Amino acid sequence: MNNPKQLNYVDQLCLFKLRGISGIDLQIVDEKDSDAGRHKREEHQRKLHTVKMVGYYELKRYAYPFWDSVEKKYTNLSFSDLVARYYRDKKLRQNVLHAIEDIEIALNAQIAYVLGNKYGPLGYLDFSKWCQRDSRNEYLNNKYMNKFAISEERLKFLTQLQYKIKKSSMVDVRNYLDSSGKIFPPVWIMINVLTLGDSIHILKLMSKSSRREIASIFGCKTKELINWMECLNLIRNICCHNGNLIDFKLKTTPVIPSEYQDSLYCYHSSRRLIYTNRIAVVICIILKLMKAINSKYQFHRLRNSITSFANDDAAANIYGFKDKAELEKLFL
């Protein structure tokens, strides 16, 4: 590792084979015209093309769960299974991201409606009107929200917002600013230039009553909604940056939706119930929020993506579900 060496694609394939991944045949076939020879060469070229187009380390990420630290090699993993894991995770990321985007849009719509309805189209510019005031905000590290803290939040937000508006290519943003001559658009237009992280921060800043009003739309409490949105924001970033989602472990387990607790893997530790930190809890959060947003959402796409990994009780357990039957029950 201290003296890295550039390997050609054949050597990269050899390295997978040397480290225990089966199904890689590097033997040269002499009978060039035989069917077996042609098939073997075609298979070899396909594997080389995969390494070339996907990359050694991108594939290696999906082999880590099969690494035997005692034997110092991968076990029970073929090259075709490794590639299949990569593409199944890609499909899972696409379907998870699709759901999270719908949740993000719904959150933005509710924030814009509450702020616009209570404080007017440009009322959001006056943070003293809609922010939690004269108390400690538990969602901002118990920061005391006096007029100085609110003024600081306003300056930081509007500075970033002005930059995002200038960079925005949204037709409605450009049309409004050009026709009105104003710097900032109404809240229902402004909300669409924000990131999910920005929207979550606005939710944290809002008055307690406004937060409760928005949380009720999603059928949950304020603390649950903020906790779940922060979790989904993390997962969204993994999906957008081609991270390994199926093997990801949350450092802090989010609040578990009560109706799905019996479907998740858990264990007792010091008289306390510890729930899974794997993909299962993310799926439950998405199901909880999406059912409040759109009960006719095409959940089968998400189900098919996760069951392609959790295809029996042992695998379902690894990914955080109690068993395969409980996984299936989630989508009934």
Side-chain angles (χ1 to χ4, degrees):
M1 293 297 290
N2 293 330
N3 297 294
K5 179 183 177 182
Q6 174 69 42
L7 299 180
N8 61 42
Y9 298 121
V10 173
D11 288 340
Q12 291 176 33
L13 206 54
C14 285
L15 196 55
F16 274 133
K17 184 177 178 67
L18 287 171
R19 291 181 175 172
I21 293 180
S22 62
I24 300 173
D25 190 351
L26 301 172
Q27 185 178 2
I28 303 298
V29 180
D30 293 328
E31 301 131 25
K32 295 182 179 180
D33 296 327
S34 70
D35 290 340
R38 284 194 298 274
H39 177 71
K40 189 174 289 188
R41 285 195 302 277
E42 288 170 0
E43 281 292 309
H44 177 65
Q45 289 302 318
R46 274 196 290 268
K47 291 180 174 67
L48 283 178
H49 185 74
T50 300
V51 173
K52 181 179 180 179
M53 292 295 106
V54 178
Y56 176 85
Y57 280 96
E58 185 69 17
L59 290 171
K60 183 182 175 183
R61 287 193 300 174
Y62 293 91
Y64 281 130
F66 299 87
W67 180 254
D68 188 321
S69 57
V70 176
E71 297 292 332
K72 301 295 182 184
K73 66 177 184 179
Y74 301 107
T75 58
N76 302 316
L77 180 64
S78 69
F79 188 80
S80 60
D81 288 340
L82 174 60
V83 175
R85 284 196 97 233
Y86 166 78
Y87 281 107
R88 286 200 300 267
D89 189 63
K90 183 176 182 179
K91 189 68 174 178
L92 174 64
R93 290 198 308 268
Q94 290 171 343
N95 289 325
V96 165
L97 183 59
H98 186 279
I100 292 176
E101 286 174 345
D102 280 7
I103 294 168
E104 178 182 1
I105 289 170
L107 176 65
N108 284 347
Q110 296 310 312
I111 290 174
Y113 183 82
V114 169
L115 291 181
N117 190 49
K118 288 184 176 182
Y119 310 105
L122 297 173
Y124 74 92
L125 297 173
D126 187 351
F127 275 43
S128 63
K129 288 182 177 179
W130 59 270
C131 282
Q132 177 182 332
R133 300 191 301 270
D134 302 322
S135 58
R136 295 197 177 277
N137 191 318
E138 63 178 300
Y139 305 111
L140 298 173
N141 299 317
N142 278 329
K143 183 178 182 180
Y144 191 80
M145 300 305 292
N146 56 25
K147 63 179 182 179
F148 301 107
I150 292 174
S151 178
E152 181 182 42
E153 289 286 350
R154 178 181 183 276
L155 177 62
K156 182 169 64 176
F157 176 78
L158 294 184
T159 300
Q160 294 174 350
L161 179 60
Q162 191 171 15
Y163 174 79
K164 289 175 181 178
I165 288 172
K166 287 180 179 178
K167 293 290 185 180
S168 175
S169 59
M170 281 187 60
V171 175
D172 289 330
V173 171
R174 298 266 58 86
N175 287 346
Y176 178 81
L177 296 182
D178 292 342
S179 61
S180 68
K182 295 182 179 179
I183 299 175
F184 297 108
V187 63
W188 48 81
I189 295 179
M190 175 278 294
I191 200 74
N192 296 294
V193 304
L194 303 184
T195 65
L196 179 54
D198 294 332
S199 299
I200 294 170
H201 193 71
I202 288 180
L203 184 63
K204 291 178 178 180
L205 285 171
M206 294 173 81
S207 67
K208 293 180 181 180
S209 62
S210 293
R211 289 196 298 249
R212 283 195 298 268
E213 183 177 345
I214 292 173
S216 68
I217 300 297
F218 292 92
C220 61
K221 298 176 181 178
T222 299
K223 185 172 290 188
E224 291 174 329
L225 180 60
I226 291 176
N227 182 265
W228 294 340
M229 287 298 178
E230 288 184 319
C231 175
L232 294 185
N233 191 34
L234 172 63
I235 298 301
R236 184 187 187 281
N237 290 336
I238 292 172
C239 294
C240 290
H241 294 92
N242 299 316
N244 181 338
L245 182 58
I246 190 61
D247 298 318
F248 182 74
K249 297 179 183 179
L250 294 160
K251 290 184 178 179
T252 303
T253 301
V255 179
I256 307 297
S258 57
E259 58 265 54
Y260 299 130
Q261 289 178 354
D262 292 340
S263 297
L264 298 178
Y265 170 79
C266 62
Y267 63 93
H268 287 275
S269 176
S270 302
R271 300 181 181 179
R272 188 164 66 95
L273 204 58
I274 307 297
Y275 281 94
T276 181
N277 63 346
R278 300 299 297 268
I279 188 65
V281 69
V282 176
I283 298 297
C284 289
I285 290 171
I286 290 174
L287 288 174
K288 169 68 177 180
L289 296 175
M290 280 303 302
K291 286 179 180 179
I293 296 168
N294 179 11
S295 61
K296 295 183 178 180
Y297 183 76
Q298 295 181 338
F299 292 105
H300 68 275
R301 295 184 299 188
L302 200 56
R303 174 194 172 276
N304 292 343
S305 294
I306 193 64
T307 54
S308 69
F309 288 99
N311 52 10
D312 56 35
D313 286 348
N317 195 245
I318 287 173
Y319 298 119
F321 301 97
K322 185 175 289 185
D323 51 42
K324 180 68 182 301
E326 287 295 336
L327 166 58
E328 296 285 355
K329 191 188 297 184
L330 288 174
F331 292 92
L332 292 178

